[in-house]
Amino acid sequence: MSTEAPPGRDEGLFDYAARPPRLPDPIDDRLDEAEIPREVRLGLYRTQQVLRQFEKRAYDLFMQNLVKGTSHLSLGMEAVAAGFAGAMRPDDYTFATYRGHAHTLARGAAMEAVMAELLGKENGLLGGKGGSMHLTSVEHGMMGSYAIIGAHLCIANGAAWSAQMRGTDQVAVCFFGDGTTNIGAFHEALNMAAVWELPVVFVCENNLYMEYTPIDLTTSVPHPAADRAAAYGLERILIDGNDADAVYLTASRVIQRARSGGGPSLVEAVTYRHGGHSRADPGKYRPADEVEAWLERDPIPAYHRRMLRVGVDEGELVEISRDVAQAVDEATEAAKAGVPPHPDAVYADVWADGGWEWRN
Amino acid sequence: MADLTVARALTDALDIALADPAVVLLGEDVGATGGVFRVSDGLREAHGPDRVIDTPVAESGIVGAAFGMAVAGMRPIAEIQFMGFSYPALDQVINHVGRVRNRSRHRFTAPLVIRIPYGAGIGAAEHHSESAEAIYTHIPGLKVVVPSTPHDAKGLLLAAVADDDPVIFLEPIRLYRAVRAEVPEGPFTVPIGAARLVVGGEDVTVVAYGAMVREAEAAAAELAASGTSVEVIDLRSLVPWDVEAVVESVRRTGRAVIVHEAPRTTGFGAEIVATIQEHALYSLRAPIERVTGWDTVVPLRRAEHHYVPTRAAIAAAVVRAMEG
C-alpha cells in the first residue's frame, strides 16, 4: 500500500469517494513456505470460516431487524482476529472494541451465546443485556468489548501489570481501530506499557477509515500506529492484516516477547471492512475501485488458495466450511428460540451482592 | 492507640493494606515524595517501588491501569492529586469502572479504590479546591466515601480496600492536618454506609460530611449556649448513605439543615432533602434548609471564605429552621 502523503486535504477535496483509492498490496506468496504446522493452518482456516459465516448470518438478521441495538461487523478483517487468537494461550487476555464479535468468537465463545446476545435474548453471553458492543466472556479470556475509544488500552495495561506482579506469564492483547491512535489514552497507555515493560500487545486494526472519514485525512503520519512506535521506543511493525499467516507469525513473535519479559509491542495490521462502519452505514464514502480491489483481496479465499498450494485437500476445506455452516444454523435457531431478559435483569448486577439496592 | 492526624491515619491504613500482596498504590508522585499531601510518606521505602508506583501525569492511564489490575485479580489503590484532576479519568470511571459488574453479568468485580483529595483548604482555587462528589454519586456501581476524623479515615479506607465494589474515597484537604485524635493501632474497619452521630440534640438535625462536619459541630456548640439543641450527623459515606439514621433523627427533631461545600444545584443535599420528604414529610415543622457553596467557581485564597459555608451560615440556617 502506498505510504505517500494523503491527497485531498490541501486541495479542500472532501468528496471522499472521489479520492484516489488506497489499494492493497498483493498477497505475499512467500508465506506459503512459512514454518506453520498444518494443524495450526487448519485452525486458522476454521476460525476465519466461523467469523465470516457467523457475521454474514448476523448481517442477515440485522436486515430482518432481529438484532437489537447497533452492530459493527468485522467482515473482511477476520485474519487479524484468527491469527492472534491462534497464537494466544487460553489464559491470555483479550481486550477488544465495539467491533468485537470476531475477537470473542476467535477466543472460543460459543456461537449460540454470541448470536443470542446480538438478538438480546436471555440465553445470550450477557443475558441479553449487553448486546453487540459489550461482548465479554471471562471463561475465554475475553475481558470485554469497550465501546469508548481508547479507554481499554489503559485497562489492558492493568491486566498485563497484574500478570507481571502476580508472576504469571500471561499476556494481554488489545485490539483497536486506526481512529484510536489519535486519542489521548492511546498515548498514555503506550507510554506506561513501555516504561514498565508490560506483557501487553497493542494491535491496531487499520481498516483505513475512522468511522466514515479516511484515517489519513485526520492523522499526521501515513501509518497511524506503526509510524508512532518509535515515540515509545518500540519496534515499527506493519503487517498484512488480510493474511492470517502473516498475522499468526507476527502474533507468535510479539506474544512470546511479552511472555518472556521482553515488554510490549505495537502492531499495525492493514485490512479493510467489506461493509460500512455500523449497520446504519452503507459505506458510500469509499471509492468504488478501492472497495473492489480490497474485495478481491478478501482474506478468506486467499487463505483457501494458500491451503491448496501447501497441499491441503480441497475436500477437507469444504468439510470445514460445511461444519461451520451447520453450526451457524444451529446457533441461529437456538438464539431465535431464546426469550427476552426477565424484568429483574434491569435491577441486577450493580453491586457485589448482585443487586442494585444500596439502602439498608 | 496512637495520636494521629487524618493524613497519618491514612498512611497507617495504606501501610496495613499494602501487607496484602494484591494491593498496590499508584499515582503521580505517590512514591518517592509520598504524594502531594505526603499521605504515602515512607510507603515506597517500606513496600518497594513495584508496590508504591510513581506514574506519569496521565489520569486515564492511572485509573484505567488500576481498573485493569482490579479485574485481573488485584486490589489497587489509585491516587489522583486533586478533584479537578480526576475529570480526565471520568471516561474510565463512568463508562467502565462502575459498569463492569453489569457488563460482565457479575463475572467481573472491580475492587479498586480511587483516593481523591477534595474541597477547599489550600486556597488554590478551581481544580485544587472544588467538591464534585455529586458527579460520582450519580454513577451506578460506584461507592463514595468521605471521612471527617482520623479514626474514620483509617477505618473507612481499610473498609474501602476490602470492598468488592469500586470506591471513590474523598479526602477533605482541609482536614488532613487540622485535627489529631486517638486512632486504634492495627487493622479495623468502619462500615461503609453507616452515619456517625457527632452530637445528639432535640431541636434540629444538621446533616454534614467531610470538612463541613467540624463547622456544623462548632455551630451546634454556639447554639447550645443560646438554648437550641442541635443534633449533628456525619454521613461518612454518600453511596450508600444512611437514610435510616437521618430519617429517624428528623422524625424526632422535625427540622433539618443540610450542609455541603459543593455547589447547591443538583448537589448531594438535594438528594437528602428529597429522601427526607419521602420518608418524614409529616414530621417536618419547617422547610428543610440547605447551606452550600455557591453555583460558581471556587475562588482563590483571599475570597475562599466567601465561598465555603461557615459556622455562622450554618447557625443562621438553624435559627431560620427554628423560626420556620
Side-chain angles (χ1 to χ4, degrees):
Chain A
M1 191 176 65
S2 167
T3 55
E4 286 171 19
R9 188 163 43 199
D10 294 341
E11 293 85 342
L13 181 64
F14 290 108
D15 179 2
Y16 299 154
R19 299 170 72 239
R22 295 188 71 187
L23 302 177
D25 291 333
I27 195 155
D28 185 355
D29 286 342
R30 289 171 302 177
L31 286 178
D32 290 2
E33 312 305 323
E35 287 184 22
I36 301 175
R38 176 188 156 87
E39 306 74 60
V40 169
R41 277 190 161 136
L42 285 170
L44 295 176
Y45 185 82
R46 178 181 289 274
T47 305
Q48 291 181 90
Q49 284 290 343
V50 167
L51 309 187
R52 172 63 54 92
Q53 294 194 37
F54 178 95
E55 286 210 306
K56 283 177 81 169
R57 178 60 53 83
Y59 181 77
D60 292 344
L61 298 174
F62 298 151
M63 301 315 277
Q64 298 166 38
N65 200 28
L66 292 174
V67 172
K68 304 304 172 190
T70 189
S71 182
H72 309 78
L73 301 177
S74 300
L75 290 171
M77 300 166 58
E78 295 90 345
V80 182
F84 266 92
M88 291 171 76
R89 225 167 54 185
D91 63 340
D92 287 337
Y93 299 123
T94 292
F95 289 84
T97 67
Y98 53 85
R99 198 181 301 287
H101 308 165
H103 295 297
T104 308
L105 292 166
R107 290 307 304 280
M111 279 196 267
E112 173 188 335
V114 179
M115 193 68 89
E117 190 58 37
L118 301 191
L119 269 54
K121 299 294 184 67
E122 197 168 47
N123 55 335
L125 200 52
L126 306 174
K129 221 177 146 183
S132 165
M133 289 189 287
H134 302 292
L135 298 177
T136 304
S137 184
V138 179
E139 298 82 353
H140 300 96
M142 173 58 187
M143 302 292 278
S145 305
Y146 288 83
I148 300 294
I149 298 303
H152 70 307
L153 279 76
C154 303
I155 301 166
N157 270 351
W161 215 332
S162 167
Q164 188 186 67
M165 286 190 280
R166 288 181 289 115
T168 73
D169 59 355
Q170 292 161 284
V171 173
V173 180
C174 180
F175 300 92
F176 52 91
D178 39 277
T180 300
T181 63
N182 291 328
I183 206 163
F186 170 85
H187 174 77
E188 294 188 28
L190 263 294
N191 176 62
M192 287 175 76
V195 170
W196 278 277
E197 300 179 329
L198 300 179
V200 58
V201 176
F202 296 106
V203 185
C204 174
E205 300 178 274
N206 180 5
N207 60 24
L208 313 185
Y209 289 83
M210 180 202 72
E211 296 204 9
Y212 314 144
T213 304
I215 189 65
D216 52 12
L217 287 187
T218 59
T219 307
S220 56
V221 287
H223 283 289
D227 290 347
R228 286 156 164 168
Y232 315 103
L234 300 177
E235 176 191 350
R236 183 182 197 274
I237 304 176
L238 181 65
I239 62 171
D240 182 352
N242 275 22
D243 184 332
D245 282 351
V247 174
Y248 174 78
L249 290 170
T250 296
S252 300
R253 178 171 74 86
V254 297
I255 288 170
Q256 185 49 38
R257 173 155 72 192
R259 207 182 296 296
S260 59
S265 299
L266 174 60
V267 176
E268 179 174 331
V270 181
T271 183
Y272 203 77
R273 281 191 252 118
H274 283 182
H277 166 71
S278 66
R279 75 166 175 175
D281 170 29
K284 295 291 186 197
Y285 41 80
R286 306 188 298 185
D289 45 352
E290 178 183 287
V291 175
E292 191 182 334
W294 282 93
L295 285 173
E296 280 175 19
R297 198 53 183 74
D298 187 331
I300 293 176
Y303 205 66
H304 189 97
R305 292 192 291 272
R306 170 168 296 144
M307 294 294 268
L308 298 179
R309 288 199 300 275
V310 301
V312 177
D313 182 53
E314 171 103 48
E316 196 172 351
L317 298 177
V318 170
E319 195 177 328
I320 291 173
S321 180
R322 277 198 199 127
D323 278 357
V324 170
Q326 190 184 338
V328 170
D329 283 344
E330 288 167 6
T332 307
E333 290 315 307
K336 282 183 174 174
V339 297
H342 189 275
D344 286 352
V346 174
Y347 314 115
D349 298 326
V350 176
W351 302 115
D353 64 7
W356 69 307
E357 274 285 357
W358 48 263
R359 293 176 183 177
N360 295 327
Chain B
M1 297 290 260
D3 188 37
L4 301 177
T5 60
V6 166
R8 286 285 77 83
L10 291 169
T11 314
D12 189 15
L14 291 170
D15 188 40
I16 291 168
L18 281 159
D20 177 351
V23 174
V24 295
L25 174 66
L26 69 164
E28 298 155 30
D29 302 323
V30 299
T33 52
V36 67
F37 289 103
R38 305 296 181 269
V39 167
S40 48
D41 245 356
L43 297 179
R44 181 171 178 263
E45 290 70 22
H47 299 279
D50 296 338
R51 310 273 317 288
V52 180
I53 304 163
D54 279 320
T55 65
V57 178
E59 283 81 9
S60 184
I62 295 165
V63 173
F67 174 57
M69 289 177 190
V71 294
M74 300 189 67
R75 305 188 87 86
I77 304 167
E79 179 182 301
I80 300 298
Q81 291 192 330
F82 292 93
M83 184 58 107
F85 301 8
S86 72
Y87 312 146
L90 279 177
D91 169 33
Q92 298 286 356
V93 175
I94 296 176
N95 283 316
H96 307 303
V97 171
R99 297 181 188 182
V100 70
R101 269 190 191 280
N102 176 71
R103 194 176 289 161
S104 69
R105 292 297 283 171
H106 214 65
R107 293 184 183 91
F108 277 133
T109 179
L112 79 155
V113 178
I114 303 174
R115 293 179 39 237
I116 310 174
Y118 95 112
I122 60 167
E126 290 205 34
H127 325 295
H128 298 78
S129 304
E130 59 208 25
S131 303
E133 62 270 20
I135 292 177
Y136 293 100
T137 58
H138 194 61
I139 307 306
L142 302 177
K143 291 182 177 174
V144 181
V145 172
V146 193
S148 73
T149 66
H151 174 276
D152 289 350
K154 178 175 174 179
L156 283 169
L157 183 53
L158 287 170
V161 174
D163 201 291
D164 282 337
D165 289 314
V167 179
I168 305 296
F169 194 88
L170 302 178
E171 301 173 4
I173 290 172
R174 198 174 346 167
L175 298 184
Y176 272 134
R177 291 175 173 80
V179 284
R180 301 181 75 91
E182 292 290 308
V183 178
E185 289 174 26
F188 71 93
T189 57
V190 168
I192 293 173
R196 175 175 70 98
L197 180 65
V198 182
V199 245
E202 291 159 14
D203 298 329
V204 182
T205 301
V206 176
V207 181
Y209 52 89
M212 290 298 100
V213 173
R214 291 186 76 215
E215 302 307 314
E217 201 176 351
E222 282 173 16
L223 290 160
S226 60
T228 306
S229 171
V230 178
E231 178 150 305
V232 178
I233 293 176
D234 173 5
L235 281 185
R236 298 201 289 197
S237 66
L238 305 183
V239 179
W241 68 281
D242 197 338
V243 174
E244 205 176 310
V246 172
V247 167
E248 186 280 324
S249 174
V250 176
R251 280 191 182 135
R252 271 190 292 108
T253 61
R255 298 180 176 87
V257 174
I258 318 298
V259 188
H260 62 60
E261 204 173 308
R264 171 167 304 201
T265 302
T266 67
F268 196 73
E271 178 65 27
I272 301 172
V273 171
T275 306
I276 291 172
Q277 303 209 38
E278 285 162 6
H279 294 276
L281 181 64
Y282 297 110
S283 304
L284 289 174
R285 295 187 227 170
I288 301 170
E289 292 282 336
R290 281 184 288 170
V291 183
T292 67
W294 304 102
D295 288 345
T296 62
V297 178
V298 184
L300 210 57
R301 182 184 299 279
R302 289 179 198 284
E304 196 181 75
H305 63 286
H306 296 307
Y307 181 91
V308 178
T310 58
R311 60 193 67 179
I314 297 168
V318 169
V319 169
R320 281 198 302 276
M322 291 300 290
E323 291 166 352

